[in-house]
């Protein structure tokens, strides 16, 4: 077969193979074709692994069978379920050769031409290589089948792939046993018909790149004098000396005022942890490598983190958001996908993100909180996870509050004195390198973090939804600072759960004119402070609703 059009048209996703071995010369020629495929920035990030072991093939087949059951359960159409079960979707053990095509994420640790707009480009390069391999095999009389119905996390584990190497899937390679009547197998079996021609449409109109702006200028309606006096009277008439419940009285008054009722109730409390990676982390400002972000998100999803324990203890729903982690999580997890990009760019010498990405962060954060509010929640806590995000938060605090960077930098995940000074020097240099406009949006584009801005958008939406929202530690307070700059009225709905061990947190709380409820020397993040303060929130509501008054208890006032 020599005609290119014939080769392309004959390429099949093959599931039926003969027992013929694949000659070394055939696979070598095919992999060389893959190597000739386009490679973004000439990174050569594509990696190939050959599988001939029957034991490994069986382990991969078992992974497929486990996920195949889940795939079949995804449709409620009984006829479609029967059709699906009759499809042969893989030939893992039957094919004489297995091929795993991967891409190496570690190339992103260095500047790579072509990945500035999207880190996904290295994955796209690997897909181009896969297509070249497929076409070369077809030309040589062989073929390949792509198996993607797998738990990729377990797939990497059983193959022993390094953390930074990501597989596109498992590819079965061999001599095809059928030509499927010269059509795709799924079409031959009447699963779906492939259209005769491609979809093509010319774009003739220029559209605005600006995202719809979230409304942030609505001021919370003032409580009437009558309501406030009635509320204060109810608090003062409880069987206690006036003011003796201290902060609990303040919290009770705040919650009742937000909900505009003398008998407030907390419904379906929820904590949302936003996670993302930061380009500044590649300069060594954290005690941990960037991949810990991905590892901790997996821990959240498996229920093993502190926030999982505290939420379970206090009966709080927990959601985890991928705002921009440098990793492709399986689509079947409970993770909320709001990925803007695979981490920000380093702001040491260039913007962390584009203006469109910055605006999208606010939109995504708003949508997530609006969805939770529609489910009946009126109390939401914000938490975060992201290696390098204390560095990002410190710079944002410095430029937005006009504080020196020395006053805004702390130890984050626990760096030593030498690393702390290094961190300060790097961040000072980043600020000195900035020559843009000195307005809020310009600062957010240049120095922002995806999870921090999504939290800010979520806080603005929580205010719009008339929710009480709990602010965790230093990084979440910087997110609040951003939201507060957009709409100062949100302070009415915010409860600051704790004053963290980050030295800049107290300075930021003073700048905002607020006090935290707890002081436990926490510096974990994850929203743990929100979960720990929640029983106090419940106690404030309980005393307001259930504690007897002097009159009802027949107790004399002084």
């Amino acid at each position: 077969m020599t005609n290119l059009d014939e080769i392309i048209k004959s390429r099949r996703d093959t599931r039926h193979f003969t027992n013929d071995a694949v000659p070394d010369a055939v696979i070598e020629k095919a992999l060389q074709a893959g190597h000739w495929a386009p490679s973004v920035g000439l990174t050569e990030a594509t990696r190939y692994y050959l599988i001939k072991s029957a034991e490994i093939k069986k382990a991969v087949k078992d992974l497929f069978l486990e996920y195949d059951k889940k795939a079949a359960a995804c449709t409620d159409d009984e006829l479609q379920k029967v059709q699906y079960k009759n499809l042969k979707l893989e030939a893992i053990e039957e094919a004489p050769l297995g091929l795993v095509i991967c891409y190496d994420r570690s190339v992103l640790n260095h500047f790579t031409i072509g990945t500035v707009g999207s880190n996904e480009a290295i994955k796209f390069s690997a897909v181009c290589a896969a297509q070249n391999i497929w076409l070369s095999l077809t030309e040589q009389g062989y073929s390949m089948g792509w198996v993607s119905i797998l738990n990729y996390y377990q797939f990497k584990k059983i193959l022993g792939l390094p953390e930074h190497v990501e597989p596109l899937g498992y590819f079965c390679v061999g001599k095809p046993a059928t030509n499927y009547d010269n059509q795709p197998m799924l079409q031959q079996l009447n699963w779906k018909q492939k259209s005769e021609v491609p979809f093509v449409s010319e774009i003739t109109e220029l559209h605005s790149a600006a995202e719809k702006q979230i409304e942030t200028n609505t001021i919370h309606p003032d409580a009437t004098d009558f309501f406030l006096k009635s509320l204060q009277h109810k608090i003062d008439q409880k069987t206690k000396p006036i003011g003796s419940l201290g902060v609990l009285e303040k919290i009770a008054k705040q919650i009742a005022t937000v909900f505009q009722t003398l008998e407030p109730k907390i419904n379906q409390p929820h904590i949302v942890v936003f996670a993302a990676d930061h380009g500044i982390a590649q300069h060594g400002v954290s005690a941990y490598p960037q991949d810990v972000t991905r590892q901790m998100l997996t821990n959240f999803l498996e229920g093993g983190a502190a926030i999982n324990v505290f939420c379970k203890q206090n009966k709080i729903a927990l959601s985890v958001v991928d705002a921009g982690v440098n990793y492709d999580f399986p689509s079947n997890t409970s993770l909320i996908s709001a990925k803007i990009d695979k981490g920000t760019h380093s702001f040491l010498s260039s913007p962390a993100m584009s203006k469109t990405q910055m605006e999208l962060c606010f939109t995504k954060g708003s949508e997530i909180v609006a969805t939770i509010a529609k489910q009946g929640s009126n109390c939401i806590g914000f938490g975060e996870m992201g290696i390098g995000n204390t560095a990002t938060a410190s710079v944002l605090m410095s430029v937005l509050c006009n504080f020196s960077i020395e006053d805004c930098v702390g130890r984050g995940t626990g760096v030593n004195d030498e690393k702390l000074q290094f961190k300060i020097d790097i961040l000072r240099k980043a600020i000195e390198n900035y020559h843009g406009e000195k307005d809020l949006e310009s600062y957010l584009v240049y120095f922002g973090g995806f999870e921090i801005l999504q939290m800010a958008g979520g806080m603005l939406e929580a205010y719009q939804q008339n929710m009480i929202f709990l602010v965790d530690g230093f990084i979440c307070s910087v997110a609040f600072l951003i939201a507060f700059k957009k709409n100062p009225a949100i302070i009415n709905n915010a409860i600051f759960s704790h004053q963290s061990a980050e030295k800049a947190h107290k300075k930021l709380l003073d700048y905002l004119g607020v006090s935290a409820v707890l002081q436990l020397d926490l510096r974990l993040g994850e929203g743990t402070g929100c979960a720990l303060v929640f029983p106090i929130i419940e106690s404030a509501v309980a005393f307001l609703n259930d504690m007897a008054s002097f009159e009802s208890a027949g107790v004399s006032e002084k």
Side-chain angles (χ1 to χ4, degrees), residues 269-273 305-319 381 526-528 530-532 534:
H270 209 117
I271 289 177
V272 187
V273 180
I307 187 59
N308 299 99
V309 173
F310 298 147
C311 281
K312 182 178 180 181
Q313 174 191 10
N314 294 306
K315 297 180 175 57
I316 304 170
L318 175 65
S319 292
E526 303 179 5
T528 47
C530 300
L532 292 171
F534 185 69

Side-chain angles (χ1 to χ4, degrees), residues 120-301:
E120 297 273 15
I122 60 168
K123 181 198 294 186
F124 302 155
S125 295
V127 174
C128 288
Q131 183 70 305
N132 271 20
I133 293 168
W134 230 317
L135 294 173
S136 175
L137 288 170
T138 302
E139 187 271 337
Q140 297 180 79
Y142 291 81
S143 191
M144 192 159 74
W146 190 339
V147 181
S148 59
I149 305 174
L150 298 165
N151 179 324
Y152 277 73
Y153 179 76
Q154 293 297 330
F155 185 46
K156 284 181 64 174
K157 285 272 190 183
I158 66 172
L159 295 182
L161 296 179
E163 288 289 340
H164 53 86
V165 172
E166 303 294 343
L168 296 180
Y170 183 93
F171 295 84
C172 306
V173 181
K175 186 175 282 292
T178 175
N179 66 359
Y180 302 107
D181 296 330
N182 288 318
Q183 58 184 311
M185 183 200 70
L186 294 181
Q187 179 172 306
Q188 183 195 38
L189 298 178
N190 298 314
W191 176 263
K192 191 176 181 180
Q193 295 300 304
K194 189 177 181 71
S195 57
E196 290 294 326
V197 294
F199 169 81
V200 182
S201 179
E202 181 182 0
I203 298 175
T204 58
E205 182 181 350
L206 181 66
H207 295 265
S208 171
E211 294 287 334
K212 180 182 176 183
Q213 292 292 314
I214 183 172
E215 296 179 10
T216 58
N217 57 353
T218 305
I219 304 301
H220 198 286
D222 290 330
T224 64
D225 287 343
F226 176 78
F227 173 79
L228 289 175
K229 288 177 181 176
S230 299
L231 176 58
Q232 190 62 55
H233 178 75
K234 181 177 182 180
I235 292 171
D236 292 344
Q237 286 300 301
K238 297 297 183 182
T239 49
K240 61 175 180 57
I242 290 177
S244 60
L245 281 178
V247 174
L248 285 183
E249 296 188 25
K250 178 183 175 183
I251 293 172
K253 186 174 182 180
Q254 179 184 5
I255 293 173
T257 302
V258 168
F259 294 160
Q260 286 287 282
T261 175
L262 296 179
E263 297 180 350
K265 293 182 180 179
I266 299 295
N267 298 323
Q268 298 182 37
H270 209 117
I271 289 177
V272 187
V273 180
F274 292 80
D277 279 310
H278 296 252
I280 195 65
Q282 71 190 47
H283 301 289
V285 296
S286 174
Y288 291 90
Q290 187 184 78
D291 198 49
V292 170
T293 306
R294 191 272 308 167
Q295 293 169 3
M296 281 304 300
L297 247 69
T298 301
N299 193 22
F300 294 154
L301 296 174

